[in-house]
Amino acid sequence: MIRENQQLLNRLHVLSDGIILYAALPAAFWIRFYLLPGGFISVPLDRYLILGVFLTAAQLFTYAAFGLYQSFRRIRLRKELEKLWLATALVMAILLSALFVQHYINYSRLTLAIWSVLSLGILSCKRFFLRRALRCFRQKGYNQKRVLVLGCGELAQTYLKTIRGNRELGYLPVGYIASRKENLNLKRLGGFEELEELLDIHRPDEVVSAIGTEDYQRMPEIIAACEKTGTKLSIIPFYAKYMPSNPQFDDLEGIPLLNLRRIPLDNWANAFCKRTMDIVGSSLLILLTSPVMLLCAAGVKLTSPGPVIFRQKRVGRNKKTFYMYKFRSMRVNDGQDTRWSADRDERKTRFGAFMRKCSLDELPQFFNVLRGDMSLVGPRPEIPFYVEQFKEDVPLYMVKHQVRPGITGWAQVNGLRGDTSIRERVEHDIYYIEHWSLLFDIEILLITVFGGKFLNSEVLG
């Protein structure tokens, strides 16, 4: 049933996208020539409507090529919107280039720009509300994907706990197959030797292999049984806890190589975009906040003896140390390199406490960003004393040093700042590193300034 439902949903998805794209063009025409001043109609509406047929077809084809009509049960809204916007920008670039080459310059470029923005906004809202609707349906037991689980060990238990705790994902376990019986609150259907027969009987939408190392030699027969019965197979590797959420594969003369620690910012284009945003953003912020920084500097100087700027050695990208700048909010003391500050700290000055409360003491870090020591968004850097301690006690702690540290980060906007769980902070930092995108950075900056949540609440469809 899920296959028929998915096919129907996909067809309706494509059809509604086509209607929105086509209808947005006369709407853009009306906005440009009847709502905005200074419009002169050099090309009649019927010519735009003819162009709209080709535009809609090209846009739908591009969306399909970008994978926007595949099942988005596992794809985050943020990633889907990135694909949507990139595909729209690509079609617009090709369209404008074609019109220029063919000398069809009478078409209003502003009309086409309005069409692009209007259709993109409506399509984005549609996807947001569609996910919300599907989430509600799945929570009520509709649109369920029937999965059969292979294995009964720790991996299988973790998988079952996850899908049971997130009913909105729409996964319904129908049973498990294992060489022994375990208490999984799920019916054991049989052993591995019966797999092909059981697949024909139960006909699940998907098989999820969560077998441990003791059964891994059975993988060839599992793959063969799934392929013979035409059943989709997903595999949770026994080393899954060491893997990133988006593993990358290299090809060595036909040999697939799994790269455990390749991240989006290893791509030079991504790194260039992030660094450009850091330079432009920090420069603007330095200009905008310079009066506030002057007032803070005067306040520090007048309220306690000592330097205005507090410099502290921190560990940054590639484990290189740098000096992070802050307005000094404490009296000069001997514990600044081996002791965290607390909400109630006798070392704070009264003016320093005020700056801390408003995060004004962090403003000089914009210069760290401009220098390249830090980024606007990233994991918060620690002092070397704690790095040496945490790398032995906290799993994957050193992974955070693959990127520049940030003034704000995914852990901080989720309330993990100051004296909070290091393990939780690292989990959020690694999530950020593995899922980095410019849109994600912008979201974190918006949450930092305005609070609340934006796209991250819409995790899955």
Side-chain angles (χ1 to χ4, degrees), residues 426-445:
V426 170
E427 288 174 4
H428 282 74
D429 288 340
I430 291 176
Y431 176 88
Y432 166 78
I433 291 168
E434 293 178 354
H435 295 84
W436 176 88
S437 68
L438 277 180
L439 187 61
F440 197 7
D441 272 1
I442 292 169
E443 178 186 355
I444 292 171
L445 290 171

Side-chain angles (χ1 to χ4, degrees), residues 352-366:
F354 165 75
M355 288 195 299
R356 285 283 189 95
K357 186 177 182 179
C358 302
S359 297
L360 297 177
D361 60 318
E362 310 279 356
L363 293 179
Q365 289 168 39
F366 293 141

Side-chain angles (χ1 to χ4, degrees), residues 3-34:
R3 293 187 180 92
E4 290 77 7
N5 289 340
Q6 189 63 55
Q7 289 174 1
L8 176 61
L9 179 61
N10 284 343
R11 288 168 185 166
L12 291 174
H13 202 25
V14 175
L15 178 62
S16 59
D17 276 1
I19 292 172
I20 291 170
L21 287 165
Y22 190 74
L25 193 54
F29 183 90
W30 177 78
I31 291 171
R32 171 64 186 94
F33 295 110
Y34 294 97

Side-chain angles (χ1 to χ4, degrees), residues 2 5-6 9 71-75 130-145 163 166-172 460-461:
I2 187 72
N5 289 340
Q6 189 63 55
L9 179 61
S71 173
F72 47 75
R73 196 178 296 256
R74 294 189 182 122
I75 301 175
L130 178 61
R131 284 173 177 259
R132 282 294 177 95
L134 286 174
R135 173 173 289 194
C136 291
F137 282 132
R138 289 166 183 162
Q139 285 178 332
K140 294 177 180 179
Y142 301 107
N143 192 233
Q144 299 287 304
K145 191 168 191 175
I163 62 174
N166 297 273
R167 291 188 60 194
E168 69 274 8
L169 301 181
Y171 289 101
L172 176 66
L460 294 163

Side-chain angles (χ1 to χ4, degrees), residues 222-233:
I222 290 172
I223 295 173
C226 290
E227 290 182 346
K228 190 173 180 179
T229 58
T231 309
K232 181 181 177 181
L233 172 66

